[in-house]
Short mmCIF file of all heavy atoms in Angstrom, two decimals:
data_model
loop_
_atom_site.label_atom_id
_atom_site.label_comp_id
_atom_site.label_asym_id
_atom_site.label_seq_id
_atom_site.Cartn_x
_atom_site.Cartn_y
_atom_site.Cartn_z
N ILE O 234 7.47 1.45 10.24
CA ILE O 234 6.27 1.82 11.00
C ILE O 234 5.03 1.71 10.11
O ILE O 234 3.98 1.20 10.54
CB ILE O 234 6.42 3.24 11.60
CG1 ILE O 234 7.51 3.25 12.66
CG2 ILE O 234 5.10 3.72 12.18
CD1 ILE O 234 7.90 4.64 13.13
N TRP O 235 5.15 2.21 8.90
CA TRP O 235 4.06 2.12 7.93
C TRP O 235 3.66 0.65 7.69
O TRP O 235 2.48 0.30 7.71
CB TRP O 235 4.49 2.80 6.63
CG TRP O 235 3.50 2.76 5.50
CD1 TRP O 235 2.15 2.52 5.59
CD2 TRP O 235 3.77 3.01 4.12
NE1 TRP O 235 1.57 2.58 4.34
CE2 TRP O 235 2.55 2.88 3.42
CE3 TRP O 235 4.93 3.33 3.41
CZ2 TRP O 235 2.45 3.07 2.04
CZ3 TRP O 235 4.84 3.51 2.05
CH2 TRP O 235 3.62 3.38 1.37
N TYR O 236 4.67 -0.20 7.49
CA TYR O 236 4.42 -1.63 7.24
C TYR O 236 3.77 -2.29 8.45
O TYR O 236 2.80 -3.05 8.31
CB TYR O 236 5.75 -2.32 6.90
CG TYR O 236 5.63 -3.81 6.72
CD1 TYR O 236 5.13 -4.35 5.53
CD2 TYR O 236 6.00 -4.69 7.74
CE1 TYR O 236 5.01 -5.72 5.37
CE2 TYR O 236 5.89 -6.06 7.59
CZ TYR O 236 5.39 -6.57 6.39
OH TYR O 236 5.27 -7.93 6.24
N VAL O 237 4.27 -2.01 9.64
CA VAL O 237 3.73 -2.63 10.85
C VAL O 237 2.28 -2.21 11.09
O VAL O 237 1.42 -3.03 11.43
CB VAL O 237 4.61 -2.27 12.07
CG1 VAL O 237 3.93 -2.71 13.37
CG2 VAL O 237 5.98 -2.93 11.96
N ILE O 238 1.99 -0.92 10.90
CA ILE O 238 0.62 -0.42 11.11
C ILE O 238 -0.35 -1.11 10.16
O ILE O 238 -1.46 -1.53 10.57
CB ILE O 238 0.57 1.11 10.93
CG1 ILE O 238 1.29 1.81 12.08
CG2 ILE O 238 -0.87 1.60 10.83
CD1 ILE O 238 1.39 3.30 11.93
N THR O 239 0.05 -1.26 8.90
CA THR O 239 -0.84 -1.92 7.93
C THR O 239 -0.97 -3.41 8.22
O THR O 239 -2.03 -3.99 8.01
CB THR O 239 -0.33 -1.71 6.50
OG1 THR O 239 1.05 -2.14 6.40
CG2 THR O 239 -0.41 -0.25 6.10
N LYS O 240 0.09 -4.04 8.71
CA LYS O 240 0.03 -5.46 9.05
C LYS O 240 -0.88 -5.71 10.26
O LYS O 240 -1.60 -6.72 10.31
CB LYS O 240 1.44 -5.98 9.34
CG LYS O 240 2.19 -6.50 8.11
CD LYS O 240 1.49 -7.72 7.54
CE LYS O 240 2.22 -8.26 6.33
NZ LYS O 240 1.50 -9.42 5.73
N LEU O 241 -0.84 -4.81 11.22
CA LEU O 241 -1.67 -4.96 12.42
C LEU O 241 -3.14 -4.64 12.14
O LEU O 241 -4.00 -4.92 12.97
CB LEU O 241 -1.15 -4.05 13.54
CG LEU O 241 0.22 -4.42 14.12
CD1 LEU O 241 0.66 -3.37 15.13
CD2 LEU O 241 0.20 -5.81 14.76
N GLY O 242 -3.40 -4.01 10.99
CA GLY O 242 -4.78 -3.70 10.63
C GLY O 242 -5.40 -2.59 11.45
O GLY O 242 -6.61 -2.57 11.66
N ILE O 243 -4.56 -1.68 11.94
CA ILE O 243 -5.08 -0.55 12.71
C ILE O 243 -6.02 0.30 11.86
O ILE O 243 -7.03 0.80 12.35
CB ILE O 243 -3.91 0.29 13.27
CG1 ILE O 243 -3.06 -0.57 14.23
CG2 ILE O 243 -4.42 1.53 13.98
CD1 ILE O 243 -1.81 0.12 14.72
N PHE O 244 -5.67 0.47 10.60
CA PHE O 244 -6.53 1.16 9.64
C PHE O 244 -6.88 0.21 8.51
O PHE O 244 -6.11 -0.70 8.20
CB PHE O 244 -5.82 2.40 9.06
CG PHE O 244 -5.47 3.44 10.08
CD1 PHE O 244 -4.17 3.52 10.58
CD2 PHE O 244 -6.41 4.33 10.55
CE1 PHE O 244 -3.83 4.47 11.51
CE2 PHE O 244 -6.08 5.29 11.48
CZ PHE O 244 -4.79 5.36 11.97
N THR O 245 -8.01 0.42 7.91
CA THR O 245 -8.41 -0.42 6.78
C THR O 245 -7.53 -0.09 5.57
O THR O 245 -7.04 1.04 5.45
CB THR O 245 -9.89 -0.18 6.42
OG1 THR O 245 -10.04 1.19 5.98
CG2 THR O 245 -10.78 -0.44 7.61
N PRO O 246 -7.35 -1.05 4.65
CA PRO O 246 -6.54 -0.79 3.45
C PRO O 246 -7.07 0.38 2.61
O PRO O 246 -6.29 1.01 1.89
CB PRO O 246 -6.63 -2.11 2.68
CG PRO O 246 -6.92 -3.14 3.72
CD PRO O 246 -7.77 -2.45 4.74
N THR O 247 -8.36 0.66 2.72
CA THR O 247 -8.93 1.79 1.97
C THR O 247 -8.38 3.12 2.48
O THR O 247 -8.13 4.04 1.71
CB THR O 247 -10.46 1.79 2.08
OG1 THR O 247 -10.95 0.53 1.61
CG2 THR O 247 -11.06 2.91 1.25
N LEU O 248 -8.16 3.20 3.81
CA LEU O 248 -7.64 4.43 4.40
C LEU O 248 -6.12 4.47 4.35
O LEU O 248 -5.53 5.53 4.10
CB LEU O 248 -8.12 4.55 5.85
CG LEU O 248 -9.62 4.71 6.06
CD1 LEU O 248 -9.94 4.77 7.55
CD2 LEU O 248 -10.13 5.97 5.37
N LEU O 249 -5.48 3.33 4.61
CA LEU O 249 -4.01 3.29 4.64
C LEU O 249 -3.54 2.00 3.95
O LEU O 249 -3.44 0.95 4.58
CB LEU O 249 -3.49 3.34 6.07
CG LEU O 249 -1.96 3.35 6.23
CD1 LEU O 249 -1.38 4.62 5.60
CD2 LEU O 249 -1.57 3.26 7.70
N PRO O 250 -3.24 2.09 2.65
CA PRO O 250 -2.75 0.90 1.94
C PRO O 250 -1.33 0.56 2.37
O PRO O 250 -0.56 1.44 2.77
CB PRO O 250 -2.81 1.32 0.48
CG PRO O 250 -2.64 2.81 0.52
CD PRO O 250 -3.31 3.27 1.78
N GLY O 251 -0.97 -0.71 2.28
CA GLY O 251 0.37 -1.13 2.65
C GLY O 251 1.39 -0.76 1.58
O GLY O 251 1.03 -0.44 0.44
N PRO O 252 2.68 -0.80 1.93
CA PRO O 252 3.73 -0.48 0.96
C PRO O 252 3.67 -1.34 -0.30
O PRO O 252 3.89 -0.84 -1.41
CB PRO O 252 5.02 -0.72 1.75
CG PRO O 252 4.63 -0.57 3.17
CD PRO O 252 3.22 -1.07 3.27
N ALA O 253 3.36 -2.64 -0.13
CA ALA O 253 3.31 -3.54 -1.29
C ALA O 253 2.19 -3.13 -2.24
O ALA O 253 2.36 -3.13 -3.47
CB ALA O 253 3.12 -4.98 -0.82
N ARG O 254 1.04 -2.77 -1.68
CA ARG O 254 -0.09 -2.35 -2.52
C ARG O 254 0.22 -1.05 -3.26
O ARG O 254 -0.13 -0.90 -4.44
CB ARG O 254 -1.34 -2.19 -1.64
CG ARG O 254 -2.59 -1.84 -2.42
CD ARG O 254 -3.79 -1.71 -1.51
NE ARG O 254 -4.94 -1.18 -2.21
CZ ARG O 254 -6.09 -0.87 -1.64
NH1 ARG O 254 -6.24 -1.03 -0.33
NH2 ARG O 254 -7.09 -0.38 -2.35
N VAL O 255 0.87 -0.13 -2.59
CA VAL O 255 1.25 1.14 -3.24
C VAL O 255 2.26 0.88 -4.35
O VAL O 255 2.18 1.48 -5.43
CB VAL O 255 1.82 2.12 -2.19
CG1 VAL O 255 2.39 3.36 -2.87
CG2 VAL O 255 0.75 2.52 -1.19
N TRP O 256 3.20 -0.02 -4.11
CA TRP O 256 4.19 -0.36 -5.13
C TRP O 256 3.53 -0.96 -6.37
O TRP O 256 3.87 -0.62 -7.50
CB TRP O 256 5.23 -1.31 -4.55
CG TRP O 256 6.24 -1.78 -5.54
CD1 TRP O 256 6.37 -3.04 -6.05
CD2 TRP O 256 7.29 -1.01 -6.16
NE1 TRP O 256 7.42 -3.10 -6.95
CE2 TRP O 256 8.00 -1.86 -7.03
CE3 TRP O 256 7.68 0.32 -6.06
CZ2 TRP O 256 9.07 -1.43 -7.79
CZ3 TRP O 256 8.76 0.76 -6.82
CH2 TRP O 256 9.44 -0.11 -7.67
N ARG O 257 2.55 -1.86 -6.15
CA ARG O 257 1.84 -2.48 -7.28
C ARG O 257 1.05 -1.43 -8.05
O ARG O 257 0.98 -1.45 -9.29
CB ARG O 257 0.91 -3.59 -6.78
CG ARG O 257 1.63 -4.84 -6.31
CD ARG O 257 0.66 -6.01 -6.15
NE ARG O 257 -0.34 -5.74 -5.14
CZ ARG O 257 -0.20 -6.05 -3.86
NH1 ARG O 257 0.91 -6.64 -3.43
NH2 ARG O 257 -1.16 -5.78 -2.98
N ALA O 258 0.46 -0.47 -7.31
CA ALA O 258 -0.28 0.61 -7.98
C ALA O 258 0.67 1.46 -8.83
O ALA O 258 0.31 1.86 -9.95
CB ALA O 258 -0.99 1.48 -6.94
N PHE O 259 1.86 1.72 -8.31
CA PHE O 259 2.84 2.50 -9.07
C PHE O 259 3.23 1.77 -10.36
O PHE O 259 3.28 2.38 -11.44
CB PHE O 259 4.08 2.76 -8.22
CG PHE O 259 5.24 3.32 -8.98
CD1 PHE O 259 5.21 4.62 -9.46
CD2 PHE O 259 6.36 2.54 -9.25
CE1 PHE O 259 6.28 5.14 -10.19
CE2 PHE O 259 7.43 3.05 -9.96
CZ PHE O 259 7.38 4.35 -10.43
N LEU O 260 3.49 0.46 -10.25
CA LEU O 260 3.86 -0.31 -11.45
C LEU O 260 2.72 -0.34 -12.46
O LEU O 260 2.95 -0.25 -13.67
CB LEU O 260 4.25 -1.73 -11.05
CG LEU O 260 5.52 -1.88 -10.19
CD1 LEU O 260 5.75 -3.34 -9.82
CD2 LEU O 260 6.74 -1.32 -10.93
N ARG O 261 1.49 -0.43 -11.96
CA ARG O 261 0.33 -0.44 -12.85
C ARG O 261 0.18 0.90 -13.57
O ARG O 261 -0.05 0.95 -14.79
CB ARG O 261 -0.93 -0.75 -12.05
CG ARG O 261 -2.19 -0.89 -12.90
CD ARG O 261 -3.40 -1.30 -12.08
NE ARG O 261 -3.83 -0.26 -11.15
CZ ARG O 261 -3.66 -0.29 -9.85
NH1 ARG O 261 -3.03 -1.32 -9.27
NH2 ARG O 261 -4.08 0.70 -9.07
N ILE O 262 0.34 2.00 -12.82
CA ILE O 262 0.24 3.33 -13.44
C ILE O 262 1.39 3.56 -14.41
O ILE O 262 1.22 4.16 -15.48
CB ILE O 262 0.21 4.42 -12.35
CG1 ILE O 262 -1.07 4.32 -11.52
CG2 ILE O 262 0.33 5.82 -12.95
CD1 ILE O 262 -1.09 5.21 -10.30
N LEU O 263 2.57 3.08 -14.05
CA LEU O 263 3.73 3.22 -14.93
C LEU O 263 3.52 2.50 -16.25
O LEU O 263 3.94 2.98 -17.31
CB LEU O 263 4.98 2.69 -14.22
CG LEU O 263 6.34 3.02 -14.82
CD1 LEU O 263 6.57 4.52 -14.81
CD2 LEU O 263 7.45 2.32 -14.06
N ALA O 264 2.87 1.33 -16.18
CA ALA O 264 2.66 0.53 -17.39
C ALA O 264 1.43 0.97 -18.18
O ALA O 264 1.47 1.04 -19.42
CB ALA O 264 2.53 -0.95 -17.01
N GLU O 265 0.34 1.29 -17.47
CA GLU O 265 -0.93 1.54 -18.15
C GLU O 265 -1.35 3.01 -18.12
O GLU O 265 -2.28 3.41 -18.83
CB GLU O 265 -2.04 0.70 -17.51
CG GLU O 265 -1.73 -0.80 -17.50
CD GLU O 265 -2.74 -1.58 -16.67
OE1 GLU O 265 -3.71 -0.95 -16.19
OE2 GLU O 265 -2.55 -2.80 -16.50
N GLY O 266 -0.71 3.82 -17.26
CA GLY O 266 -1.14 5.20 -17.09
C GLY O 266 -2.31 5.30 -16.13
O GLY O 266 -2.71 4.30 -15.52
#
């Protein structure tokens, strides 16, 4: 549901980032803090 909502663009990425974007942010924080 989270993926579909972000794909349909119901909310802007600033308000509701997609799972892929959150995953990349996690990897970035894990590597760089």
Side-chain angles (χ1 to χ4, degrees):
I234 293 170
W235 178 18
Y236 176 79
V237 170
I238 289 175
T239 54
K240 271 295 180 183
L241 293 175
I243 298 174
F244 298 100
T245 64
T247 303
L248 295 178
L249 182 64
R254 183 179 171 186
V255 172
W256 176 250
R257 288 194 298 269
F259 169 70
L260 294 178
R261 185 176 68 253
I262 293 171
L263 193 63
E265 304 171 5

